[in-house]
Amino acid sequence: MDLIRFLLRKSWRLVLCSVVAGLVSGVAGAGLIAVIHRGMNETQVSSTLAWSFLVLALAVAACKALSEILLTRLGQSTISELRFQLSRRILDAPLSQLEQLGHHRLLAALSEDTDVIAQAYVQLPLIGINVATTIGCLAYLGWLSWPMLLLVLGCMALGASTFQLQERKAIRLFTRSRETSDALFRHFRSIMAGIKELKLHRERRHAFLTTLLHRTVKAYERDFVGGMTVYSLASSWGLFLFYAAIGVLLFLWPSWQPVSIDTVVGATLVLLYMMGPFSQIVELLPGVGRANVALNKIDALGLSLAASTPGQEADGRQAGTELDIRRWSRLDLIGITHHHAPEGDERPFCIGPIDLTFRPGEVTFLVGGNGSGKTTLALLLLGLYQQESGSILLDGVPIDDANRDTYRQLFSTVFCDFHLFDSLLGLDQANLDGVARVYLERLQLESKVRIEGGLFSTQALSQGQRKRLALLTAYVEDRPFYLFDEWAADQDPLFRKVFYTELLPDLKARGKAVLVITHDDRYFSMADRCLRMDFGRLVECREQDGAAGANGGLSAPSRVAGAGK
Ligand SMILES: Nc1ncnc2c1ncn2[C@@H]1O[C@H](COP(=O)(O)OP(=O)(O)OP(=O)(O)O)[C@@H](O)[C@H]1O
């Protein structure tokens, strides 16, 4: 309901206009039936009646068209709003929460759930209009004969109660099919990401298609068809009750009590007319049921659209920050701990407690075996993971929910699994192209890529070249703290040398703090200090790690906790 309130706040004018247009159309339709009924009974048709007929017919057609046009606009604007808001909620949500959910669930929510919710939301005015039309018809029926009204109301109550019993089953099936569509999106992602592996291995491709995908697709089909079948049966039962009421009125009622043929014809006309809006309501109900399932799903993902993130302003900036990220002098990690939620029976991976200090103009190498926790520490430092205990202080100011987003603006990064946007997005400094072209030459990409209006001419590059382009983006960002997660791993020996012996010293000379996660022991001497991760703990670099300060001496932090202090 929060979501409905949220949507109504955004688009109440469109909803109101379409409801009014629909109501006028519905009421005019009921009036048209009354006029037709009177016309059938009059031997000499009056001109007033004829004009009423014309005006009402025009009103019905015009308002129906207007209502439909407005509803289409409402539908598209609702989908846009939902996609925008949900994307925003995803960007606001903690990284660890998103990692636990997985990309496939987020994609399913962004595409399937937004569609289903928007379609149902658009149907709400239609349901309102049809209910209003039905009430108008019932009022006319009551005016013709209240016992007949009671009969029809009885049939409707019977239909509604049986429908409610059946609907629970339909919702259960829709919920199951929605869960299956998460798995379906995971398979779609596997197709995209694993296309080369699937093409190369016939048996794997066959197993993927016939076992995984086919089973999931069929499970989705079965549950979805099951849910829709329940609704179809319920709607047919409702339709039958309508015909039953007409049958009783036409064939049984006159034999029970005296009634004029005129009343019977009028009541039959009303019931036949009511069948239109009634059928529409019943057809709309499965969509409403699926929207409920989609709403619950979005809530279950922890991405409720109605909620807002504490400290987050509407424009994405944060209130109440005391950080000056351009003029910082020390960054302290004090007693930081974190653990990854284990999958199944695995033991959780714990990191920390970690004490560490960074200063501008200092190049730090972070080494350690695979899975030792280097990237996890980097993500904690960047404020992308939230520590479970301990604190991060920038010039003595603790980082919290209110200033974390501002704190993150301290860093430029190239992650191991970096993403390259197709332009220098969000960078609108003067002479952006000129600045970028200087780095393009420096990174030896000028013969491969052109930059026009901040847009890269191509991304069809080798992995190493794409990583250089990501480095270019980081350079242009010109932020105070650089973090590279195994950046040099994809580079040829020549460019690896350029990175360690030219680019890093250049960043240092510009007063940047640099943290390099690396396995390149040949270049450890380029670091001011070298830290080692070992099973989630930060330990001193051993002499055999080869860590030597840039000025030639072994950096060997005397106490890792106080490194840099
Ligand atoms: N999102 C996650 N959820 C659960 N466990 C995770 C997650 N990310 C990492 N881990 C676990 O945490 C441990 C440390 O991972 P991390 O990526 O920090 O290591 P790393 O030192 O950077 O390794 P590598 O050198 O291979 O990149 C690993 O055992 C890994 O299984």
Side-chain angles (χ1 to χ4, degrees):
M1 287 322 277
D2 277 351
L3 181 70
I4 300 303
R5 239 177 275 140
F6 163 81
L7 289 173
L8 276 175
R9 230 182 15 243
K10 294 273 173 191
S11 54
W12 65 270
R13 281 188 193 85
L14 267 179
V15 174
L16 188 69
C17 291
S18 54
V19 167
V20 169
L23 280 180
V24 173
S25 163
V27 170
L32 208 56
I33 287 298
V35 168
I36 292 170
H37 185 210
R38 274 195 53 199
M40 286 165 78
N41 289 330
E42 283 185 8
T43 43
Q44 183 96 37
V45 178
S46 73
S47 63
T48 319
L49 206 60
W51 277 113
S52 308
F53 178 83
L54 182 65
V55 169
L56 285 170
L58 282 174
V60 168
C63 291
K64 185 170 173 293
L66 183 63
S67 172
E68 278 172 6
I69 291 165
L70 290 171
L71 285 176
T72 307
R73 291 184 58 168
L74 180 66
Q76 287 313 306
S77 78
T78 306
I79 290 178
S80 308
E81 187 64 34
L82 281 174
R83 288 199 171 134
F84 181 71
Q85 292 298 337
L86 196 57
S87 302
R88 191 177 207 163
R89 294 292 300 157
I90 289 172
L91 286 172
D92 286 347
L95 180 65
S96 47
Q97 181 193 343
L98 300 177
E99 282 179 346
Q100 267 174 25
L101 291 176
H103 290 175
H104 58 287
R105 287 202 185 87
L106 300 174
L107 275 176
L110 273 171
S111 52
E112 188 166 320
D113 290 337
T114 48
D115 263 4
V116 169
I117 293 169
Q119 278 167 24
Y121 178 64
V122 169
Q123 287 166 359
L124 285 181
L126 273 183
I127 292 181
I129 291 161
N130 286 318
V131 168
T133 311
T134 307
I135 291 172
C137 290
L138 287 174
Y140 184 59
L141 182 66
W143 180 76
L144 285 175
S145 157
W146 66 264
M148 285 183 181
L149 174 66
L150 286 183
L151 170 80
V152 173
L153 286 178
C155 287
M156 288 174 89
L158 180 63
S161 51
T162 32
F163 171 77
Q164 268 208 329
L165 283 178
Q166 294 303 309
E167 198 193 18
R168 257 181 243 141
K169 191 176 166 197
I171 293 286
R172 217 173 32 247
L173 288 164
F174 282 154
T175 306
R176 218 164 59 191
S177 75
R178 176 60 189 82
E179 292 303 323
T180 313
S181 77
D182 277 346
L184 207 53
F185 271 84
R186 196 172 60 231
H187 296 330
F188 292 158
R189 272 188 62 81
S190 294
I191 293 179
M192 302 304 153
I195 186 88
K196 293 195 275 298
E197 288 80 357
L198 290 170
K199 273 183 176 294
L200 278 171
H201 199 291
R202 192 184 300 135
E203 286 75 21
R204 182 175 296 137
R205 186 171 66 236
H206 182 74
F208 176 81
L209 282 174
T210 54
T211 314
L212 286 181
L213 192 65
H214 187 260
R215 205 166 40 207
T216 313
V217 166
K218 282 290 161 192
Y220 181 89
E221 181 189 320
R222 195 174 48 242
D223 290 334
F224 189 82
V225 169
M228 291 304 282
T229 306
V230 172
Y231 274 107
S232 294
L233 291 177
S235 118
S236 302
W237 168 239
L239 208 64
F240 170 77
L241 286 174
F242 249 101
Y243 283 123
I246 293 173
V248 169
L249 287 185
L250 273 179
F251 304 113
L252 299 178
W253 200 279
S255 57
W256 288 341
Q257 47 182 292
V259 61
S260 72
I261 187 74
D262 176 39
T263 306
V264 172
V265 169
T268 308
L269 260 179
V270 169
L271 285 184
L272 284 174
Y273 185 77
M274 257 171 74
M275 276 173 81
F278 170 81
S279 303
Q280 255 197 6
I281 293 173
V282 174
E283 275 164 25
L284 298 176
L285 290 177
V288 175
R290 289 184 65 211
N292 264 324
V293 172
L295 278 174
N296 291 339
K297 187 72 191 176
I298 286 180
D299 276 345
L301 294 183
L303 299 170
S304 171
L305 292 166
S308 66
T309 310
Q312 193 81 27
E313 302 278 316
D315 63 355
R317 294 173 202 281
Q318 290 181 313
T321 176
E322 305 162 53
L323 300 180
D324 185 354
I325 55 165
R326 284 282 152 197
R327 275 187 292 277
W328 68 292
S329 57
R330 69 182 285 157
L331 168 58
D332 296 290
L333 272 59
I334 302 171
I336 297 285
T337 65
H338 181 76
H339 86 278
H340 285 300
E343 277 189 21
D345 297 336
E346 270 179 35
R347 281 180 50 207
F349 177 83
C350 299
I351 190 170
I354 283 171
D355 297 270
L356 198 52
T357 296
F358 293 97
R359 291 178 192 280
E362 190 181 49
V363 176
T364 307
F365 279 14
L366 180 60
V367 302
N370 291 136
S372 58
K374 302 181 295 298
T375 303
T376 307
L377 173 59
L379 293 173
L380 282 163
L381 168 70
L382 296 168
L384 289 173
Y385 282 163
Q386 215 168 320
Q387 70 272 12
E388 281 146 24
S389 62
S391 44
I392 299 179
L393 306 178
L394 186 67
D395 290 328
V397 179
I399 305 307
D400 54 22
D401 283 345
N403 61 15
R404 188 167 292 108
D405 191 56
T406 306
Y407 165 73
R408 288 180 190 143
Q409 314 312 308
L410 184 71
F411 301 95
S412 276
T413 58
V414 182
F415 293 107
C416 229
D417 55 350
F418 69 100
H419 177 76
L420 191 60
F421 290 92
D422 49 16
S423 68
L424 292 165
L425 204 60
L427 299 170
D428 47 10
Q429 64 202 56
N431 192 23
L432 179 63
D433 287 357
V435 174
R437 277 179 207 135
V438 171
Y439 290 119
L440 212 53
E441 271 180 42
R442 200 150 174 217
L443 294 166
Q444 298 172 17
L445 287 170
E446 75 279 13
S447 60
K448 283 277 167 191
V449 187
R450 277 173 290 104
I451 298 181
E452 298 290 345
L455 207 70
F456 300 133
S457 59
T458 179
Q459 281 213 28
L461 301 166
S462 76
Q463 178 68 358
Q465 288 165 338
R466 293 181 72 248
K467 236 178 182 178
R468 276 188 239 165
L469 214 46
L471 181 64
L472 177 144
T473 310
Y475 263 132
V476 178
E477 283 172 7
D478 192 26
R479 287 182 166 184
F481 199 132
Y482 280 78
L483 190 148
F484 302 115
D485 193 348
E486 299 189 25
W487 184 86
D490 304 299
Q491 303 301 322
D492 59 43
L494 204 68
F495 213 84
R496 206 175 277 204
K497 188 170 175 205
V498 170
F499 174 70
Y500 285 109
T501 61
E502 292 179 29
L503 302 180
L504 290 186
D506 176 55
L507 287 172
K508 178 182 164 67
R510 285 164 55 200
K512 309 290 183 188
V514 188
L515 177 62
V516 184
I517 298 175
T518 178
H519 296 288
D520 282 327
D521 45 7
R522 266 188 76 186
Y523 296 101
F524 282 3
S525 61
M526 300 312 299
D528 291 315
R529 61 176 175 164
C530 177
L531 309 171
R532 166 173 284 279
M533 278 303 275
D534 204 11
F535 295 105
R537 308 289 290 228
L538 207 50
V539 294
E540 285 187 41
C541 268
R542 297 178 309 257
E543 200 157 328
Q544 59 265 39
D545 288 329
N551 51 11
L554 193 72
S555 72
S558 55
R559 180 177 154 254
V560 170
K565 281 185 187 171

